[in-house]
Structure formats: structure tokens, C-alpha cells
């Protein structure tokens, strides 16, 4: 890399040197000739990639194929085995060459002569990170990252049928819908029951690599959602910078998250609610109370712990089939039935959102679903009728900080206008007439 920097510096020096030489050596009246010279010896355009001026090399790009190895790739490019062995040995503290994965891209920088000898091997395990094994002089290896930039953007939308459609119509990422429905407003707004005319504004950041490769929505900084004409603000705030804990709070610092998730599976449908008076035809309409809530979802859908807690049961038993039970605190327990497979051991501490098993049909069940049972003080209750505890509230000292922090963001959010509002403002005279008409009819 240093050599590149030196040669670049060299080019620049050459240009400056010529100007200086001519400025001293040329007579005043010969000045136009000087300008011509400067123009001819312009610094060659550089294309820097992975920290190299790739114009200095013959660049060979490919992806790791099945059966490929570091040795074979280099051998195909005329590097002898002793050298390959030597390179692998020297590089091994930084990167184990056996870790190359099929399908990942790599780049060989080769000498610009007829031999096209490989000088450098660059491997990209993901879009951001890359590993450089440089063997043009001495052998050295290092890992580096492509520059990542975040661009702040805003968006608004009005719901016609569902949020994904509204976003799609505007060419916005479905990840924004996911973030709002499943992360920010999961406990305050039921996105399966949005109203036509519900609307939202959102301030978010998009992520780019190398200023050009779009990676997707990185983060939602703030949102405003109007559901049933009721406003719901959400502001992202770091409550613990050392642990990296981020939560969303309302404009008056209330945590939008609840201690429990609303559902143990994503994108599911409630097929049977908690109902103590349920009667079923196949059982001769006898009273068969249903003390759980059934969420229908395809077999294999991950089942999540709805809150932090300790696994107290994980086994297969009778009509329950494969099930897991979690104790969250002295008051609450939850239970998840009919799993195809369990992924939780007794005694294990699980966090809200952790996968504890997968949807199946074990035990007594007519179709793939998870029967979710919610216990309060040892009794099964309807989780949807409970006033679920809020997640950890913000501390008093942080609250002051938070309110200060969100002030400019809220102003920004409030200043984003919905398209329909802008349209109404432009047509205000008409609106006044309408109002007058109403007044007249009212008088009649
Ligand atoms: Zn059930």
C-alpha cells in the first residue's frame, strides 16, 4: 500500500516540479507553452479500491467456486507451491485461508506485465469487510472495511390497505414496514387492523457502502403514526450506551415496548382465542374451554419467547405435544404447545424474541399452530385482556436528557407535511366556500 501512496505522490510531485521549473526557466512571453505542458502531464486518474490504485494492476475478479481453495486459485494463476505455502503460513494469524466460502467474491491484483503474476489476494466475506493478503514484497495480511455511509431520509404515507403496499407504491423498502410493525409499534398499534386513512411520517437512515452500494434501511430514528386519528410518536433513544440498548419512547418518555411480545410468532393469524365458553361440534357441543390463544402459522415458523425468563419445562407430553414453559417473574409464566421441535433447555435463560422452537403439529391439534398459554399467579388468563407491564421505564435523570434530545427531532418530524395536507393548503379558498355552505345548511 505504501508503494502506491509513494507513486501517487511521485506523480503529483512531477506536475508541481514542472510548473516550478518552467516558472523559473521560461521567459514571460513563452507562458502559453507552460500551460500546455501542465495540461499534458495531468495526474493520471486513480481508482482506489481496497486501498490500492487498481489502475496499477491487472485486476481479476471471481467468486469462490465449489472445490476451490486458496492454493488452487493461486496455482491456476501461476504461483508455485512453495510460495503458496509460505504465503498461507505468514497470513494465518490474520486469516485462515481454509475459511474461504463458496460464492464469496475475491479479487486478484496481478502485475501489469505479460506474466500477470498475482501480487495480492483480496477476499470479501461480506459486503463491508475484506481481507487483504499482500505478497508483492514481503508477505503481510490484514483485514479492513469498506467505508460505510448513512444518509438520513424522510418518508410519509397514507394507508389504503396495508403498510407494505403503501411503502411499495413509493419504492420504499419493506424493511421500513417491518421496523415499524414489529419493532417500534408492535405493542401500541396492531398492524393487522390498520384503518384506511391511517398515515405515518418517518425519519430513517439508509446505509451505503463505498457511497454507491445500497445496503438497505439501517435505522429508524423517529416516527409518527396516526391510527384512528390518534397520534403515536416514537423516538429512538440509547438508554445504555455500554450495553448498546436502544428503545423507542413516546413524546412524553413512555416506553413503547411492553414486557411481553403480542405474539410468539411473526406474521401469524389468531385461529382461536382464549374462550372459557367454547363449545365444539365434534365434541357434541360440550363445553370445551380454550385457555390458550392459537396462532396459526406454517410448520417450521420460529416460535419466540414473548419475554425474558427462565425455561422451567421443555418436553413432549400427551395432547400438548412438544412444549416449552417459561417463568418470567413471580407473577407471569408462558407456555408454547404443539412444537415440531424444541430449542430450549430447562434452566436456560431466554430473552424476549429468542427462538425457543418451531411451529408443528405434535400432540392434539388439527393444523399447524402454536397454542400460547399465559399464566398470571398460577392461573391461565387471556393475554389480550391483560394490561401488560411496560418494559423498563426510563430513569428520571435520563428522562431530562431524552426530552432535550428529541426536541429538534420532533420539530423536524412535525415539519414534514403529508402530501394531502399540502394539497389542501393550496386549495384553501375552496375549503372556505365549503365551510360557508355548511354554515348555510346548518342555519336552515
Ligand atoms: Zn390452543
Amino acid at each position: 500500500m505504501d508503494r502506491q501512496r509513494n507513486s501517487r505522490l511521485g506523480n503529483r510531485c512531477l506536475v508541481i516540479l514542472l510548473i516550478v521549473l518552467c516558472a523559473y526557466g521560461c521567459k514571460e512571453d513563452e507562458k502559453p507553452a507552460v500551460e500546455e505542458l501542465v495540461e499534458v502531464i495531468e495526474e493520471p486518474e486513480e481508482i482506489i479500491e481496497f486501498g490500492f490504485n487498481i489502475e496499477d494492476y491487472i485486476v481479476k475478479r471471481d467468486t469462490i467456486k465449489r472445490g476451490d481453495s486458496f492454493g488452487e486459485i493461486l496455482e491456476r494463476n501461476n504461483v508455485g507451491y512453495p510460495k503458496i505455502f509460505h504465503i498461507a503460513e505468514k497470513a494465518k494469524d490474520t486469516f485462515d485461508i481454509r475459511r474461504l466460502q463458496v460464492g464469496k467474491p475475491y479479487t486478484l491484483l496481478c502485475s501489469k506485465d505479460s506474466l500477470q503474476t498475482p501480487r495480492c489476494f483480496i477476499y470479501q466475506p461480506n459486503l463491508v469487510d475484506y481481507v487483504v493478503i499482500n505478497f508483492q514484497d514481503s508477505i503481510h495480511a490484514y483485514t479492513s472495511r469498506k467505508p460505510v455511509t448513512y444518509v438520513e431520509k424522510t418518508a410519509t404515507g397514507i394507508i389504503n390497505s396495508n403498510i407494505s403496499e403503501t411503502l411499495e407504491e413509493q419504492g420504499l423498502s419493506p424493511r421500513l414496514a417491518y421496523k415499524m410493525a414489529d419493532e417500534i409499534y408492535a405493542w401500541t398499534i396492531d398492524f393487522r387492523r390498520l384503518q384506511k386513512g391511517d398515515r405515518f411520517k418517518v425519519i430513517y437512515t439508509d446505509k451505503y457502502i463505498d457511497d454507491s452500494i445500497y445496503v438497505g434501511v439501517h435505522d429508524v430514528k423517529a416516527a409518527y403514526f396516526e391510527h384512528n386519528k390518534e397520534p403515536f410518536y416514537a423516538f429512538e433513544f440509547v438508554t445504555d450506551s455500554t450495553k448498546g440498548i436502544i428503545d423507542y419512547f413516546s413524546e412524553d418518555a413512555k416506553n413503547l415496548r411492553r414486557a411481553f411480545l403480542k405474539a410468539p410468532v411473526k406474521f401469524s393469524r389468531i385461529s382461536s382465542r382464549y374462550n372459557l365458553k367454547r363449545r365444539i361440534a365434534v365434541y357434541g357441543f360440550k363445553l370445551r374451554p380454550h385457555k390458550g390463544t392459537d396462532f396459526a402459522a406454517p410448520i417450521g415458523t420460529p416460535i419466540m419467547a414473548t419475554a425474558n425468563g427462565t425455561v422451567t419445562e421443555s418436553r413432549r407430553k400427551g395432547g400438548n405435544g412438544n412444549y416449552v414453559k417459561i417463568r418470567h417473574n413471580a407473577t407471569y409464566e408462558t407456555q408454547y404447545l404443539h412444537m415440531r421441535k424444541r430449542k430450549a433447555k430447562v434452566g436456560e435463560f431466554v430473552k424476549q424474541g429468542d427462538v425457543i422452537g418451531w411451529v408443528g403439529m405434535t400432540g392434539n391439534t388439527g393444523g399447524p399452530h402454536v397454542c400460547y398459554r399465559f399464566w398470571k399467579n398460577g392461573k391461565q388468563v387471556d393475554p389480550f385482556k391483560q394490561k401488560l407491564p411496560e418494559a423498563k421505564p426510563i430513569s428520571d435523570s435520563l428522562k431530562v436528557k431524552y426530552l432535550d434530545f428529541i426536541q429538534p427531532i420532533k420539530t423536524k418530524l412535525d415539519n414534514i407535511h403529508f402530501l394531502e395536507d399540502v394539497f389542501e393548503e393550496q386549495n384553501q379558498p375552496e375549503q372556505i366556500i365549503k365551510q360557508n355552505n355548511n354554515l348555510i345548511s346548518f342555519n336552515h
Side-chain angles (χ1 to χ4, degrees):
M1 222 161 71
D2 282 341
R3 237 190 61 181
Q4 258 66 52
R5 206 172 294 140
N6 288 341
S7 77
R8 249 187 290 150
L9 262 177
N11 283 332
R12 225 172 267 143
C13 288
L14 187 65
V15 178
I16 296 162
L17 200 72
L18 276 166
I19 301 167
V20 173
L21 272 178
C22 291
Y24 282 96
C26 307
K27 284 172 192 161
E28 289 264 312
D29 52 4
E30 283 168 10
K31 220 175 178 179
V34 175
E35 272 166 14
E36 246 168 59
L37 242 179
V38 173
E39 222 148 85
V40 173
I41 316 173
E42 229 177 82
E43 193 177 2
E45 208 184 308
E46 285 180 340
I47 302 171
I48 305 292
E49 200 183 343
F50 307 115
F52 292 90
N53 180 6
I54 58 168
E55 295 286 285
D56 292 347
Y57 302 92
I58 288 171
V59 180
K60 298 181 181 175
R61 296 176 200 269
D62 207 339
T63 52
I64 307 290
K65 302 282 182 322
R66 200 164 291 280
D68 260 357
S69 68
F70 178 73
E72 271 164 52
I73 292 165
L74 287 194
E75 219 177 352
R76 277 205 298 272
N77 288 278
N78 307 318
V79 180
Y81 189 72
K83 178 144 194 204
I84 293 171
F85 181 76
H86 195 50
I87 294 168
E89 269 299 298
K90 282 262 188 173
K92 79 172 183 222
D93 288 339
T94 310
F95 184 71
D96 181 353
I97 51 150
R98 288 169 302 182
R99 269 169 37 203
L100 298 178
Q101 274 178 46
V102 173
K104 301 288 183 193
Y106 70 87
T107 306
L108 276 174
L109 303 181
C110 306
S111 64
K112 249 184 161 172
D113 52 33
S114 58
L115 288 173
Q116 300 188 8
T117 314
R119 298 286 190 212
C120 199
F121 175 84
I122 299 150
Y123 170 69
Q124 291 170 267
N126 56 56
L127 283 170
V128 179
D129 299 298
Y130 60 87
V131 181
V132 176
I133 302 176
N134 188 339
F135 39 88
Q136 44 196 344
D137 301 317
S138 62
I139 299 161
H140 57 279
Y142 55 90
T143 55
S144 195
R145 321 194 81 194
K146 289 193 165 195
V148 174
T149 46
Y150 302 98
V151 180
E152 192 175 292
K153 293 180 180 173
T154 63
T156 68
I158 297 166
I159 309 295
N160 246 326
S161 57
N162 62 60
I163 187 161
S164 307
E165 210 170 84
T166 304
L167 290 170
E168 209 177 297
E169 278 165 13
Q170 299 183 60
L172 293 166
S173 166
R175 210 170 146 68
L176 263 184
Y178 170 77
K179 287 227 167 215
M180 283 199 279
D182 278 45
E183 285 177 19
I184 301 168
Y185 292 117
W187 299 267
T188 31
I189 301 170
D190 187 349
F191 273 67
R192 285 170 291 203
R193 290 201 189 96
L194 289 182
Q195 305 292 318
K196 198 176 168 171
D198 279 0
R199 50 190 201 165
F200 63 88
K201 305 181 212 180
V202 56
I203 302 174
Y204 65 100
T205 47
D206 266 343
K207 186 176 177 182
Y208 293 87
I209 294 169
D210 262 354
D211 283 330
S212 54
I213 306 161
Y214 176 62
V215 191
V217 173
H218 169 67
D219 194 25
V220 171
K221 290 185 151 181
Y224 167 90
F225 207 102
E226 216 175 274
H227 176 53
N228 273 335
K229 307 257 182 265
E230 217 188 308
F232 293 93
Y233 282 93
F235 299 94
E236 184 191 45
F237 189 62
V238 182
T239 49
D240 189 332
S241 53
T242 43
K243 283 187 198 155
I245 296 173
I246 293 165
D247 255 328
Y248 286 90
F249 298 89
S250 67
E251 73 276 25
D252 47 6
K254 289 225 170 67
N255 200 330
L256 289 178
R257 196 160 56 81
R258 288 291 176 275
F260 287 87
L261 291 177
K262 275 192 169 170
V265 272
K266 281 176 186 160
F267 311 117
S268 59
R269 165 181 73 79
I270 293 175
S271 49
S272 174
R273 284 189 181 266
Y274 177 95
N275 182 3
L276 296 179
K277 292 177 184 139
R278 182 176 69 164
R279 289 172 193 277
I280 297 178
V282 283
Y283 296 115
F285 292 101
K286 273 190 195 144
L287 198 62
R288 300 286 296 209
H290 184 221
K291 291 184 176 176
T293 308
D294 291 348
F295 292 89
I299 284 185
T301 305
I303 299 169
M304 300 171 296
T306 53
N308 296 354
T310 306
V311 177
T312 51
E313 288 174 53
S314 174
R315 58 174 166 158
R316 185 170 182 150
K317 189 187 159 197
N320 285 357
N322 273 316
Y323 76 93
V324 169
K325 194 171 180 182
I326 301 168
R327 173 163 284 284
H328 303 288
N329 52 30
T331 314
Y332 295 105
E333 291 163 283
T334 55
Q335 198 182 5
Y336 314 74
L337 315 186
H338 315 308
M339 291 178 173
R340 185 182 70 181
K341 216 178 152 214
R342 286 171 279 122
K343 193 192 178 238
K345 287 193 188 91
V346 172
E348 191 183 339
F349 181 77
V350 288
K351 282 199 295 200
Q352 183 178 63
D354 280 356
V355 175
I356 51 167
W358 293 272
V359 171
M361 284 180 64
T362 55
N364 189 7
T365 163
H369 77 277
V370 52
C371 182
Y372 176 56
R373 299 184 168 214
F374 197 89
W375 308 69
K376 188 180 181 182
N377 297 321
K379 263 181 145 179
Q380 289 193 64
V381 295
D382 183 353
F384 290 95
K385 297 266 167 66
Q386 304 301 309
K387 207 171 160 15
L388 293 177
E390 260 178 43
K392 213 174 145 207
I394 205 164
S395 69
D396 284 345
S397 58
L398 259 186
K399 190 174 170 176
V400 178
K401 232 176 159 184
Y402 170 79
L403 293 173
D404 231 40
F405 169 79
I406 66 160
Q407 208 183 8
I409 305 168
K410 185 170 181 292
T411 307
K412 186 173 178 181
L413 201 56
D414 289 339
N415 284 329
I416 301 169
H417 293 286
F418 289 109
L419 275 176
E420 54 164 18
D421 286 354
V422 174
F423 184 73
E424 269 179 25
E425 270 164 37
Q426 282 167 351
N427 292 290
Q428 242 172 15
E430 207 179 83
Q431 230 184 1
I432 291 163
I433 294 167
K434 266 192 209 153
Q435 276 174 355
N436 283 343
N437 283 345
N438 285 343
L439 233 125
I440 293 162
S441 57
F442 181 75
N443 281 340
H444 276 287

